[in-house]
Amino acid sequence: MIHSLAFANKDDLSGRYINTGRQGFLLAMDVSVYSLTLLCKHAEPLMKGRNGSIITLTYYGSEKVIPNYNVMGVAKAALEASVRYLAADMGQNGIRINAISAGVIKTLASSGISGMRTMLEHCEGKSPLKKNVTTDEVGKTALYLCSNLASGVTGEIIHVDAGYNIVGM
Ligand SMILES: NC(=O)c1ccc[n+]([C@@H]2O[C@H](COP(=O)([O-])OP(=O)(O)OC[C@H]3O[C@@H](n4cnc5c(N)ncnc54)[C@H](O)[C@@H]3O)[C@@H](O)[C@H]2O)c1
C-alpha cells in the first residue's frame, strides 16, 4: 500500500509557523498523518501473513527547519513517528512499513509551498549528487521497499534526495 498524500492550507505554507491556526494545524495533521494510521488499520487484516509492505512519503522539513514548510514539517515529523509505531504494531503480522524522504520535486502539492523554485535551485547546487531527484528515482526505492529485497527492513525513513540531508555546510 502506498500512502502518498498530504495537505495544508496555502496560508499555512508561508510566513511564520507561529501564526498557524488551530483549524489549519488539525487539518494538516488529519489529512497528512492520521490518514496513514487509519489506512493501516483497515489494510492490516487484508495484508496479515502475506508479506505486506506499506510506504509513505515524507520530507526533510520534519528534521530541520525549511522556510515556509511550517505546519507540514510538524506533520511530517508526526508521520515519521507514526511509521515507527505502526511498524512495531504490525510487524507481528509480517507487515512492514517504511517512509521515503524524497528530495524536492515539482508537483501539484509542492507548488503550494512558497519559494519552490528557490528550493529546487538550492538543492541542485548543494546536494552531493548536484541534482534534484526524479519521480523515477523515488519510484525505484519504493519498488525495493515493496519487494522481497527489503524483507528485513521496517520502521525506516529512507532518504532519496541526492544526498542533500547529509550536508552540514
Ligand atoms: N513533491 C515533493 O517535493 C515532495 C517531497 C517529499 C515528500 N513529498 C510527499 O509526497 C506525497 C505526494 O505528494 P506529491 O508531491 O507527489 O503531490 P501530488 O499533488 O501529486 O499528490 C498529492 C495527493 O494528495 C491528495 N490529497 C490531498 N488532499 C487529500 C485529502 N483530503 N484526501 C485524500 N487525498 C488527498 C491529492 O489528491 C493528490 O493525489 C505527499 O505526502 C508529499 O508531502 C513530496
Side-chain angles (χ1 to χ4, degrees), residues 3-8 27 30-32 35 56-60 69 72 76 79 100-111 113 116 119-120 133 135 138 160:
H3 174 270
S4 181
L5 65 97
F7 186 81
L27 178 68
D30 186 23
V31 175
S32 315
S35 58
T56 187
L57 274 298
T58 186
Y59 176 61
Y60 186 55
Y69 202 60
M72 194 51 72
K76 291 301 192 191
L79 182 74
I100 296 175
S101 186
V104 182
I105 299 173
K106 195 162 171 41
T107 62
L108 188 60
S110 67
S111 309
I113 304 159
M116 258 300 287
M119 284 167 82
L120 284 164
V133 290
T135 49
V138 175
V160 181

Side-chain angles (χ1 to χ4, degrees), residues 107-167:
T107 62
L108 188 60
S110 67
S111 309
I113 304 159
S114 300
M116 258 300 287
R117 183 140 42 100
T118 312
M119 284 167 82
L120 284 164
E121 286 169 6
H122 180 81
C123 293
E124 190 175 358
K126 302 292 180 199
S127 66
L129 293 178
K130 298 283 174 266
K131 65 173 192 175
N132 286 299
V133 290
T134 63
T135 49
D136 267 16
E137 287 172 315
V138 175
K140 283 188 285 186
T141 295
L143 188 59
Y144 150 71
L145 286 171
C146 286
S147 78
N148 200 42
L149 290 173
S151 61
V153 181
T154 195
E156 287 292 340
I157 315 298
I158 299 183
H159 295 88
V160 181
D161 64 351
Y164 182 78
N165 75 95
I166 68 161
V167 177

Side-chain angles (χ1 to χ4, degrees), residues 42-53 90 92-95:
H42 290 287
E44 187 178 35
L46 304 173
M47 290 183 157
K48 195 173 177 175
R50 299 171 66 189
N51 298 323
S53 176
M90 296 190 295
Q92 63 196 348
N93 291 324
I95 301 169

Side-chain angles (χ1 to χ4, degrees), residues 30-103:
D30 186 23
V31 175
S32 315
V33 186
Y34 185 65
S35 58
L36 176 67
T37 303
L38 190 60
L39 277 169
C40 287
K41 189 175 164 67
H42 290 287
E44 187 178 35
L46 304 173
M47 290 183 157
K48 195 173 177 175
R50 299 171 66 189
N51 298 323
S53 176
I54 300 169
I55 298 171
T56 187
L57 274 298
T58 186
Y59 176 61
Y60 186 55
S62 63
E63 300 170 58
K64 302 286 180 191
V65 173
I66 303 290
N68 301 315
Y69 202 60
N70 297 359
V71 71
M72 194 51 72
V74 175
K76 291 301 192 191
L79 182 74
E80 292 173 18
S82 296
V83 165
R84 291 184 282 272
Y85 279 92
L86 290 164
D89 281 351
M90 296 190 295
Q92 63 196 348
N93 291 324
I95 301 169
R96 298 181 294 104
I97 175 165
N98 295 283
I100 296 175
S101 186

